[in-house]
């Protein structure tokens, strides 16, 4: 983990130009302890059966243009954007190309997800190995849900992107499917971030 103040991030890291080295394209992401708990508790979770503040890890994120997260997977999650946009590339669990992607990313441990798209993606596409890849871009006011164990890489597209991710407790999902209800407004949380 890397620690810095929000002021340091805004003045020293956010304005940096994109680098092939993901370590130089850091973005702020996490729960941020007790100081940020009131903001996390104010966030209105997506409308689903298992979405509660006791069952979801609510994380707050802020990233500069083309920062992001290289290929990884985890439990199911919702992601909501408040400012900017996020590009997601997904591969389903068990897709054989994920092993090759993981090897490439380990060999190029510091390669940013943006640079993976520029350098590695065309090679795999030309071989027809990304036919199962699904992509989307989410914008302010949009919520994305993705299930357990889907490999994904994320690139922030706005000058800066502010977002919230809610990671759902796996144990609760074993017995229930995530059923969403009527969409809700994020106006109150948006006011806190602007």
């Amino acid at each position: 983990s890397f620690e810095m103040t929000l002021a340091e991030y805004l003045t020293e890291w956010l304005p940096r130009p994109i680098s092939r080295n993901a370590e130089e394209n850091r973005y702020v992401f996490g729960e941020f302890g007790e100081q940020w708990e009131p903001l996390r508790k104010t966030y209105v979770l997506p409308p689903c059966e298992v979405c509660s503040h006791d069952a979801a890890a609510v994380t707050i994120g802020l990233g500069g243009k083309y920062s992001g997260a290289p290929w990884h997977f985890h439990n199911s999650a919702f992601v909501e954007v408040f400012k900017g946009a996020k590009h997601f590339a997904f591969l389903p669990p068990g897709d054989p190309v994920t092993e090759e992607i993981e090897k490439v990313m380990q060999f190029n441990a510091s390669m940013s997800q943006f640079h993976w798209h520029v350098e590695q993606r065309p090679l795999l596409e030309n071989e027809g190995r990304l036919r199962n890849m699904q992509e989307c871009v989410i914008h302010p006011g949009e919520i994305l849900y993705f299930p357990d164990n889907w490999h994904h890489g994320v690139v922030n597209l706005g000058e800066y992107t502010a977002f919230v991710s809610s990671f759902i407790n796996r144990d609760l999902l074993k017995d229930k499917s995530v059923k969403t209800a009527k969409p809700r407004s994020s106006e109150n949380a948006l006011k806190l971030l602007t």
Side-chain angles (χ1 to χ4, degrees):
S1 119
F2 187 83
E3 292 188 24
M4 69 180 82
T5 66
L6 183 57
E8 287 172 323
Y9 178 76
L10 292 174
T11 58
E12 297 172 25
W13 286 87
L14 190 64
R16 288 184 177 193
I18 185 68
S19 170
R20 186 178 187 280
N21 183 343
E23 293 296 312
E24 296 174 4
N25 301 321
R26 293 185 187 277
Y27 69 102
V28 178
F29 180 75
E31 294 183 58
F32 303 112
E34 292 178 16
Q35 290 178 322
W36 288 62
E37 186 175 6
L39 182 59
R40 290 192 319 272
K41 291 281 187 194
T42 303
Y43 178 68
V44 179
L45 286 161
C48 77
E49 275 186 41
V50 294
C51 295
S52 71
H53 282 280
D54 293 332
V58 176
T59 59
I60 299 166
L62 177 66
K65 190 169 190 170
Y66 302 131
S67 64
W71 287 101
H72 64 286
F73 66 94
H74 47 68
N75 52 319
S76 61
F78 289 89
V79 180
E80 182 170 8
V81 170
F82 295 102
K83 172 89 171 109
K86 293 181 84 62
H87 172 269
F88 283 83
F90 291 98
L91 287 164
D95 190 304
V97 77
T98 59
E99 288 180 27
E100 184 173 335
I101 289 171
E102 286 176 5
K103 286 179 189 172
V104 166
M105 296 307 277
Q106 285 173 354
F107 180 73
N108 297 291
S110 61
M111 181 188 296
S112 76
Q113 183 67 16
F114 174 81
H115 286 87
W116 178 88
H117 282 285
V118 172
E119 298 173 20
Q120 298 296 315
R121 178 181 178 154
L123 304 172
L124 294 170
E125 282 180 327
N126 289 339
E127 296 170 356
R129 303 195 54 221
L130 294 178
R131 62 185 159 273
N132 293 326
M133 188 167 75
Q134 299 177 35
E135 301 178 81
C136 67
V137 175
I138 58 173
H139 300 275
E142 296 178 337
I143 298 175
L144 170 69
Y145 168 79
F146 56 93
D148 260 6
N149 298 318
W150 277 68
H151 278 76
H152 56 286
V154 185
V155 177
N156 295 314
L157 298 178
E159 178 183 344
Y160 71 90
T161 300
F163 62 97
V164 171
S165 295
S166 304
F167 298 94
I168 308 304
N169 182 320
R170 277 191 175 111
D171 295 333
L172 295 175
L173 293 175
K174 289 178 185 175
D175 299 324
K176 298 179 180 184
S177 62
V178 175
K179 296 177 184 170
T180 58
K182 179 180 161 190
R184 49 107 181 133
S185 168
S186 300
E187 191 173 314
N188 290 338
L190 181 59
K191 285 179 186 173
L192 290 172
L193 295 173
T194 56

